Amino acid sequence: FCLAYVIPVAIVIYLLQSWLIGVFDLQGEAADLLSFYATFIVGSYVLFGLQLAANPVMNSLRHPGFSTISNIVRDLLLAVPLVGLFAGWFGARGVLAGQALANAIAGVIAFSVALWLIKRVEKGLSIDLPWTGKIFHHHRAVAPGVQHRGH
């Protein structure tokens, strides 16, 4: 879905960037930023979409802590330093690029973890990972008579 949606939208935005600059009467740095965004940043949302797809998978496989950690890693451990570093080097373009790179890295990592969990389920292996302990997730007993998926 990410590919089917983001790639056509990115192409349309890229092709219409001059028109968008004119419609919003952008000049100078604002026009340059929109052009940079339309050329380089929009396509990176494909990789961010991987994280958006992976988080519900991890949640449904009883590992919501992994989802939380992927968001924390993206926002605090990747975006903050990358945006700060790239902004110092490239100004406003660096802010956009730093956030896009953080989204891409986190998306690939989160999707890889989700695929790993899915493969464990497909192989019939337990998704109760002893090394995660109570830090990442906490299982609550299911009330009798309530159907529960995931076991």
Side-chain angles (χ1 to χ4, degrees), residues 67-111:
S67 297
T68 303
I69 288 170
S70 75
N71 291 327
I72 291 170
V73 165
R74 182 194 70 224
D75 295 336
L76 295 179
L77 300 181
L78 292 171
V80 170
L82 288 173
V83 166
L85 184 66
F86 287 12
W89 289 343
F90 307 110
R93 286 182 176 199
V95 172
L96 296 174
Q99 184 66 53
L101 183 57
N103 287 343
I105 293 168
V108 170
I109 292 170
F111 199 72

